[in-house]
């Protein structure tokens, strides 16, 4: 506790000297209001620092780093190439994109039952739940199953995941579900015949030039990775924060991916190519597939897209000025990505709000920045 209290004090004492710009931006005055918002969040102890990027379909318009990625044993400033634990941004960027790539190849149909691809899933009334249901979080699955289900090894964990009972009828309720995306990650593995981390590397991230995006990042990159929080006396840096993903050896459909702001900009520019048949980055999805992925669907309590948020109870990080074509997502560790094809904008906000004391909150702060960007 003394170490955590000291870390918090260090943040408060040093934020003024650590808010230096780590990379030049375009000088666009529209973005001048971003820095004060981040500064205020750091002053309030909501985050130790952040990397903010804004881009259009061809170039980065703004890229700056503020604050620190580590306080102790030495203070290390955030840089624009800092690698972050993306947490639930894994869902759209890795898992949903993988599913859509398999749809594009004709190997998966969104409206077929999950059990067509994973026969073990067809128990306890889950026979009719479709791939699209899980992508939209309306399959009726519980948000999270007990952590005890993962503590007897990966094989037992999957037996227990497949055996779960739905808590509502498909389509009846919107319930944001890590379990649903765990199942989708397994579906990708079963259909592709390879592991989720290998599939995403070979078929998505490498072809797109997302060079630092990966599950289980190379230990050689540790010095560039933002710390999350101490666990078991060890600072978590390069090891997935999500406890269930950790017990699945760091690779899961709902969490586990690490990346940088510039890599996520490249991903966002691919999505912007839905309106441009000559994308500025290599695209693994064609325009029709991207359009299908980001199409909003009415769900109880709002709208969602396939793997993405649109307008739902989870949209506080969306801001108020993006168009109806915008899709996005947040991550528990303090990460946000929104992409607006109509306004030709990618917004990336990466922080490690859990460092150093497991607290902090950034969704509304990120939403303030999104509002500026969407004007």
């Amino acid at each position: 506790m003394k170490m955590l209290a000291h870390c918090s004090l260090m943040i408060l004492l040093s934020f003024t000297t650590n808010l230096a710009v780590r990379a030049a931006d375009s000088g666009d005055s529209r973005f001048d209001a971003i820095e004060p918002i981040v500064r205020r969040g750091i002053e309030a102890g909501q985050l130790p620092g952040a990397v903010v990027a804004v881009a259009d379909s061809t170039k980065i318009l703004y890229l700056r780093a503020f604050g620190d990625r580590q306080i102790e044993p030495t203070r290390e400033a955030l840089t624009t190439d800092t690698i972050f634990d993306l947490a639930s941004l894994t869902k759209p960027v890795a898992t949903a994109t993988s599913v859509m790539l398999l749809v594009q190849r004709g190997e998966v149909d969104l409206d077929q039952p999950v059990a067509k691809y994973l026969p073990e899933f067809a128990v306890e009334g889950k026979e009719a739940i479709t791939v699209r249901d899980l992508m939209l979080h309306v399959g009726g699955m519980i948000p999270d199953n007990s952590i005890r289900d993962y503590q007897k090894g990966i094989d037992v964990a999957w037996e227990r995941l497949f055996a779960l009972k739905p808590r509502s009828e498909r389509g009846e309720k919107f319930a944001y579900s890590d379990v649903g995306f765990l199942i989708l990650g397994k579906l990708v593995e079963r259909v592709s015949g390879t592991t989720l981390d290998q599939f995403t590397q070979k078929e998505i991230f490498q072809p797109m030039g997302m060079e630092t995006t990966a599950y289980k990042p190379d230990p050689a990159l540790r010095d560039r990775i933002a710390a999350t929080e101490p666990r078991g006396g060890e600072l978590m840096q390069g090891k997935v924060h999500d406890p269930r993903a950790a017990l699945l050896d760091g690779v899961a459909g709902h969490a586990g991916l690490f990346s940088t702001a510039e890599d996520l900009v490249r991903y966002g520019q691919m999505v912007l190519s839905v309106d441009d048949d000559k994308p500025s980055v290599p695209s693994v999805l064609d325009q029709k597939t991207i359009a299908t992925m980001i199409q909003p669907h009415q769900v109880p309590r709002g709208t969602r897209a396939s793997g993405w948020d649109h307008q739902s109870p989870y949209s506080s990080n969306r801001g108020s000025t993006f168009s109806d074509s915008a899709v996005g997502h947040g991550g528990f560790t303090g990460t946000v990505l929104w992409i607006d094809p109509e306004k030709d904008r990618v917004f990336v906000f990466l922080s490690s709000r859990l460092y150093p004391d497991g607290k902090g909150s950034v969704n509304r702060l990120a939403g303030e920045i999104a509002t500026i960007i969407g004007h």
Side-chain angles (χ1 to χ4, degrees), residues 85 217 225 228 231 234-242 246 258:
D85 180 339
I225 301 174
T228 49
R231 180 177 290 170
E234 177 186 5
L235 186 65
M236 299 188 70
Q237 192 171 15
K239 294 183 179 179
V240 61
H241 175 269
D242 182 273
F258 288 74

Side-chain angles (χ1 to χ4, degrees), residues 9 13 38-39 52 82 113 115 124 164 185 195 197 209 265 305 319 340-341 343 347 358:
L9 179 61
L13 290 176
V38 179
R39 183 190 300 272
V52 181
T82 297
E124 301 291 352
L164 289 170
T195 62
D197 57 332
V265 163
D340 189 337
K343 295 200 172 182
F347 167 47

Side-chain angles (χ1 to χ4, degrees), residues 125-308:
K126 301 195 297 294
E127 293 83 357
I129 297 172
T130 68
V131 177
R132 194 188 303 274
D133 290 336
L134 295 188
M135 293 274 267
L136 297 174
H137 298 278
V138 294
M141 302 307 298
I142 192 171
D144 286 304
N145 57 321
S146 172
I147 194 69
R148 293 190 299 273
D149 290 348
Y150 300 79
Q151 293 175 338
K152 293 186 178 180
I154 293 175
D155 290 343
V156 172
W158 278 107
E159 289 174 7
R160 294 184 177 181
L161 279 161
F162 285 134
L164 289 170
K165 295 181 181 180
R167 67 174 191 175
S168 61
E169 294 294 321
R170 58 176 291 260
E172 182 179 88
K173 294 181 179 180
F174 164 72
Y176 182 83
S177 175
D178 284 355
V179 166
F181 269 78
L182 277 158
I183 298 297
L184 288 170
K186 179 59 73 173
L187 181 151
V188 171
E189 294 187 338
R190 186 69 58 82
V191 173
S192 69
T194 188
T195 62
L196 186 60
D197 57 332
Q198 291 171 342
F199 182 84
T200 53
Q201 275 301 310
K202 181 181 178 182
E203 305 293 344
I204 300 171
F205 305 138
Q206 289 179 4
M208 288 186 61
M210 296 170 67
E211 297 179 353
T212 56
T213 304
Y215 287 94
K216 298 193 292 187
D218 188 332
L221 297 173
R222 187 179 188 276
D223 290 344
R224 283 176 53 192
I225 301 174
T228 49
E229 63 176 320
R231 180 177 290 170
E234 177 186 5
L235 186 65
M236 299 188 70
Q237 192 171 15
K239 294 183 179 179
V240 61
H241 175 269
D242 182 273
R244 292 166 179 82
L247 290 169
L248 293 171
D249 195 29
V251 180
H254 71 298
L257 199 65
F258 288 74
S259 190
T260 62
E262 289 184 84
D263 271 10
L264 291 177
V265 163
R266 292 181 73 82
Y267 180 93
Q269 288 173 327
M270 177 190 74
V271 176
L272 292 182
S273 73
V274 68
D275 292 328
D276 183 358
D277 60 3
K278 295 181 180 179
S280 62
V281 297
S283 180
V284 297
L285 300 180
D286 60 31
Q287 288 177 289
K288 178 182 177 182
T289 305
I290 295 170
T292 299
M293 179 172 65
I294 67 174
Q295 178 184 0
H297 293 264
Q298 193 71 41
V299 301
R301 299 192 297 151
T303 47
R304 298 284 299 194
S306 293
W308 294 93

Side-chain angles (χ1 to χ4, degrees), residues 66-84:
F66 307 92
D68 297 312
R69 65 180 171 218
Q70 183 172 307
I71 306 299
E72 288 191 346
T74 58
R75 182 161 56 85
E76 296 181 10
L78 268 176
T79 55
T80 56
D81 66 349
T82 297
I83 300 167
F84 290 83

